[in-house]
Amino acid sequence: MPYNIVALLKRVPDTESKITLRDNAVVTEGLNFVLDPYGEYGLEKALQLVEQHGGKVTAVLCGPADAKETIRKALAVGADDAVHLSDPAFEGGDAAATARVLAAALKQIPFDLIWSGKQAVDQDNAQVPERVAELLDLPHVNSVIEFTLAADGKTARCVREVDGERDVMTTTLPAIFTAQQGLGELRYPSLKGIMGAKKKPITDWNAAALGLDVAAVGAAGAKFQVIQLEPPPARPPGKIIPGDAQTAAQELARLLHEESKII
Amino acid sequence: MKIESVYFDEEHHLFRETLRAFVEKELKPHADEWEQAGMFPNELFRAFGKLGYLGLRFPVEYGGQGLDYWYTVVLCEELVRCQSLGVGVGLLVQSEMATSVINKYGTPEQKREFLAPAIAGEKIAALGITEPGHGSNVANLRTTARRDGDDWVINGSKTFISNGTRANFITLAARTGGEGARGVSLILVPTDAKGFSVGRALKKMGTHSSDIAELFFQDVRVPVSNLVGEPGRGFAYVMELFQGERLVLASFANGIMQALWEEALNYGRAREVFGLPIVGHQAWRHRLADLLTQMEAARQLTYFACDRLNRTASAQKEVSMAKLYACELVKRVAETVLQLHGGYGYMEEYPVCRFYRDVAAFGIGAGTSEIMREIIAKEAIG
Ligand SMILES: Cc1cc2nc3c(=O)[nH]c(=O)nc-3n(C[C@H](O)[C@H](O)[C@H](O)COP(=O)(O)OP(=O)(O)OC[C@H]3O[C@@H](n4cnc5c(N)ncnc54)[C@H](O)[C@@H]3O)c2cc1C
């Protein structure tokens, strides 16, 4: 039985990029962008499911106009088409505002299930897919590391990793699932995939196309306000404790106890 | 890691990004093991074949990707980052040096029998030109192929042949006619032919993960239909198709210089001498600034040559300049970066140590630096 699967993706700075801040925001000029890795795990699962059962994968990404290049990475690895949600009014949104945009778009896209990353590595909010589930009144299972569809195609069985335990959940479809590391790495795009990405359709929707009130999205609709954004403090240099094993061990124990107060 | 250039568009960037991740995750962790084994595993040919990387320039009809030389340039620049140059050598001998002549001048039958399986990584290819007595002087080679009915009967020997211990076929330069360049032809020789034998795998200074061997031919018979193109045109084909091979070497050199540069910065920023990081001392800052300037010149010269080769298929002078400049420069860069590491650079633990050995052959393989100067002078001066 074929499935329509949506993969929600986010464009994030490459973790190897050097991040600079200006006016409480990350400077995006000159940054190299990638697909968020958690979103990639979800996309990989979506591609596998379609390989097994048939159907199609639609990549959905909310991001600025120049995010097209990142969207095409999803098309290069095998997504069939994509929806780009882009409008200056969407920018600067918090998790709630972005979820409103995604939910409005998902009302226009037929789907049987939705994959998303469990969080994105840039802001680590871990809120958007849950909020989308709430807005669309869908069941959701987060941090999935194993996933199987029942033979009748109506339910899914998920394994989640929680505090070293394995939590097994089943849910009816349609539903939203969020991917955790361990679900499976995204495949490499083949050359054919790379060369063919530009030929696959990307639908552009802005606030007007989705019938969204611009006051409810982006910075205007955000309840969450960034007061100050700072780079993490530089790590203090490591310490080498000299001496033979016995004296060094004693000194180490003393430092751990008195200075860092760990023991 | 994005290398901006007017020549690169989104597809090139994504190809590079994919390769960078692939090399880092799938190749680099095995580099030490393959260096010690003296050979990377045969499965790598198949894996690369599946990814489509062995037929970048070749027609879709035979399993290739139908792309231009830019993809080969990107592949070469990224492959060397696995820190085991032999991998790049073995794979590019397969995908460029030994097969480009079949692609350009081969018959449909030759393409089906040799090119398609090489693109798929199912047959391993080697290029047999150099002989114990004649290296640079290709026109003078002594291996002979005598016509006998419907067969060529081949006698002679070759040396320094990359992939030689494991090739399924050799694209062989042999004398089918009289003395000089016009007597040389290229013949495809399956290595299971009677009378073919492989001498010892030669022990070499670097590129330890690729095999290199002496090959012997004693009354080896192959059908006359295995001759590529026209008889007596072998030397001309070699000269024409060496352009691709030389572009490969220049691109390997550019990729290694980039990797060496990163090693220099990593080490030179972390190591303090006399109260300052190494790269904080003006003596090093200026030396590194000079190197980076020359590296950029080498890369841009290579890109210039590639652009011309793509557009005109005839860029002997430009490709020779790129090969000469990048392959000589990479030796100086390796030496300087080793010096920056002090004693640590001389230790196997640091990547610069292996790079230093590997680059020693850059002025030799695919035509020596002296031969590059000969080509440039001949075209420019007459
Ligand atoms: C790692 C490696 C891999 C190789 N793989 C292959 C392979 O797969 N297939 C293959 O066929 N060959 C291969 N070769 C061989 C390589 O192509 C030859 O070593 C090269 O062409 C030089 O030939 P030679 O070693 O006989 O040196 P020679 O030709 O004997 O040259 C000796 C020296 O004389 C110089 N010289 C030559 N002619 C002139 C001149 N006219 N004016 C001034 N100086 C001159 C040369 O530049 C060199 O410095 C490989 C070599 C190496 C090191």
Side-chain angles (χ1 to χ4, degrees):
Chain A
M1 167 180 160
Y3 293 88
N4 287 317
I5 308 181
V6 167
L8 298 180
L9 301 168
K10 186 174 186 188
R11 184 184 85 150
V12 297
D14 188 346
T15 45
E16 280 174 20
S17 312
K18 189 170 170 346
I19 305 285
T20 46
L21 304 173
R22 196 194 302 141
D23 303 333
N24 278 342
V26 173
V27 178
T28 54
E29 293 101 69
L31 269 187
N32 192 33
F33 288 100
V34 296
L35 287 170
D36 176 68
Y38 292 106
E40 284 191 351
Y41 308 142
L43 174 60
E44 174 61 32
K45 182 49 81 179
L47 295 171
Q48 288 172 11
L49 290 169
V50 164
E51 275 166 0
Q52 285 161 20
H53 304 283
K56 77 175 216 187
V57 176
T58 300
V60 176
L61 187 144
C62 180
D66 64 359
K68 284 265 177 336
E69 200 173 323
T70 311
I71 294 176
R72 278 193 287 266
K73 290 180 193 174
L75 298 173
V77 287
D80 297 277
D81 56 13
V83 175
H84 185 189
L85 306 172
S86 186
D87 193 314
F90 295 162
E91 282 168 38
D94 61 3
T98 303
R100 262 175 232 127
V101 177
L102 291 172
L106 288 165
K107 284 183 185 152
Q108 318 286 327
I109 305 169
F111 62 84
D112 300 299
L113 56 152
I114 297 172
W115 277 100
S116 156
K118 75 168 172 94
Q119 68 195 74
V121 294
D122 54 351
Q123 285 170 336
D124 285 326
N125 267 327
Q127 290 190 27
V128 169
E130 288 77 3
R131 288 177 180 274
V132 171
E134 193 59 31
L135 291 170
L136 295 177
D137 199 19
L138 288 174
H140 90 269
V141 184
N142 65 14
S143 293
V144 175
I145 55 166
E146 280 174 35
F147 181 89
T148 36
L149 284 168
D152 65 3
K154 294 205 173 85
T155 58
R157 177 181 180 278
C158 304
V159 178
R160 310 165 63 233
E161 212 167 43
V162 209
D163 289 335
E165 304 277 329
R166 285 162 66 86
D167 183 11
V168 181
M169 294 179 90
T170 56
T171 177
T172 53
L173 299 181
I176 296 189
F177 305 92
T178 76
Q180 163 69 307
Q181 185 166 24
L183 186 66
E185 298 273 328
L186 182 62
R187 62 197 63 191
Y188 298 105
S190 69
L191 260 160
K192 273 198 188 67
I194 291 173
M195 302 316 292
K198 274 195 185 140
K199 295 183 198 104
K200 292 182 175 178
I202 301 178
T203 307
D204 290 285
W205 281 337
N206 58 12
L210 294 173
L212 279 165
D213 174 4
V214 290
V217 296
K223 296 221 164 59
F224 183 89
Q225 227 188 330
V226 178
I227 310 287
Q228 201 176 344
L229 200 59
E230 286 175 15
R235 254 204 285 171
K239 209 176 234 171
I240 294 174
I241 304 170
D244 60 48
Q246 203 183 341
T247 40
Q250 271 172 357
E251 177 62 6
L252 175 64
R254 188 190 68 79
L255 288 173
L256 289 174
H257 182 63
E258 290 174 14
E259 264 189 27
S260 45
K261 303 197 179 359
I262 291 171
I263 56 174
Chain B
M1 76 176 233
K2 209 175 203 173
I3 293 184
E4 297 288 353
S5 163
V6 288
Y7 301 117
F8 293 145
D9 57 27
E10 196 177 308
E11 284 82 3
H12 298 101
H13 292 312
L14 185 49
F15 183 47
R16 184 186 297 279
E17 196 178 306
T18 305
L19 282 167
R20 177 90 39 125
F22 180 80
V23 166
E24 187 70 29
K25 281 197 207 140
E26 320 287 338
L27 302 183
K28 202 164 150 189
H30 301 287
D32 289 348
E33 181 193 323
W34 296 341
E35 289 276 316
Q36 267 155 33
M39 207 194 251
F40 64 82
N42 284 355
E43 290 79 69
L44 214 54
F45 286 103
R46 278 189 288 275
F48 268 69
K50 274 216 184 86
L51 289 164
Y53 298 168
L54 295 178
L56 295 176
R57 287 200 306 113
F58 299 147
V60 176
E61 209 188 329
Y62 296 102
Q65 305 292 329
L67 302 169
D68 61 20
Y69 275 110
W70 285 116
Y71 288 85
T72 305
V73 166
V74 174
L75 176 70
C76 293
E77 288 180 350
E78 292 302 318
L79 256 187
V80 294
R81 300 179 66 90
C82 79
Q83 299 183 353
S84 184
L85 177 63
V87 174
V89 171
L91 293 170
L92 269 294
V93 163
Q94 169 93 358
S95 67
E96 184 64 42
M97 327 213 174
T99 42
S100 57
V101 71
I102 315 175
N103 176 54
K104 182 93 188 264
Y105 294 107
T107 60
E109 292 73 39
Q110 287 170 346
K111 288 180 186 174
R112 271 195 297 275
E113 192 181 343
F114 297 100
L115 182 62
I119 292 173
E122 281 154 15
K123 276 188 184 173
I124 298 172
L127 177 68
I129 295 180
T130 307
E131 299 183 351
H134 300 88
S136 302
N137 193 354
V138 176
N140 217 19
L141 60 85
R142 288 282 155 247
T143 296
T144 57
R146 181 176 46 82
R147 177 97 190 234
D148 180 30
D150 287 338
D151 288 340
W152 291 108
V153 183
I154 301 165
N155 280 287
S157 63
K158 296 283 168 183
T159 193
F160 302 151
I161 305 307
S162 303
N163 291 347
T165 67
R166 50 174 157 179
N168 298 102
F169 71 91
I170 318 280
T171 303
L172 184 79
R175 187 166 301 286
T176 53
E179 290 295 303
R182 299 228 169 115
V184 177
S185 299
L186 293 180
I187 301 176
L188 302 170
V189 182
T191 52
D192 56 7
K194 217 172 129 242
F196 172 84
S197 61
V198 179
R200 50 205 171 94
L202 302 168
K203 285 205 172 18
K204 51 187 158 18
M205 176 175 173
T207 53
H208 287 156
S209 61
S210 91
D211 57 308
I212 188 166
E214 291 176 297
L215 309 178
F216 300 103
F217 304 81
Q218 197 174 15
D219 292 327
V220 175
R221 281 179 176 271
V222 301
V224 286
S225 58
N226 280 21
L227 189 138
V228 185
E230 287 172 41
R233 298 279 301 150
F235 183 78
Y237 297 157
V238 168
M239 288 306 123
E240 179 190 343
L241 295 162
F242 263 11
Q243 295 182 96
E245 171 163 353
R246 287 167 186 159
L247 187 68
V248 164
L249 266 278
S251 301
F252 279 161
N254 290 329
I256 288 180
M257 287 192 276
Q258 178 62 33
L260 282 167
W261 174 259
E262 290 162 22
E263 292 298 321
L265 288 198
N266 280 341
Y267 190 83
R269 281 185 173 136
R271 174 84 171 177
E272 289 200 359
V273 287
F274 293 92
L276 267 183
I278 297 171
V279 297
H281 292 270
Q282 196 184 47
W284 281 105
R285 299 176 73 75
H286 283 193
R287 235 168 135 177
L288 289 172
D290 280 344
L291 279 193
L292 191 63
T293 306
Q294 290 165 319
M295 281 166 54
E296 194 59 52
R299 184 191 291 277
Q300 296 307 328
L301 182 58
T302 308
Y303 287 1
F304 166 69
C306 178
D307 176 52
R308 188 171 163 97
L309 186 59
N310 268 333
R311 287 187 293 109
T312 70
S314 152
Q316 289 281 5
K317 185 175 84 206
E318 293 75 12
V319 169
S320 300
M321 286 172 166
K323 176 8 172 123
L324 172 64
Y325 189 68
C327 291
E328 286 297 317
L329 183 63
V330 70
K331 293 189 280 181
R332 289 208 297 283
V333 173
E335 189 192 346
T336 310
V337 174
L338 190 150
Q339 184 68 16
L340 179 143
H341 279 69
Y344 295 92
Y346 199 66
M347 300 298 132
E348 287 287 349
E349 227 171 288
Y350 286 84
V352 63
C353 181
R354 187 183 295 156
F355 277 133
Y356 181 87
R357 275 200 309 268
D358 286 353
V359 302
F362 271 78
I364 300 168
T368 65
S369 293
E370 288 72 25
I371 295 300
M372 294 308 102
R373 294 186 183 101
E374 286 293 314
I375 295 171
I376 298 163
K378 194 168 166 206
E379 198 173 318
I381 307 168

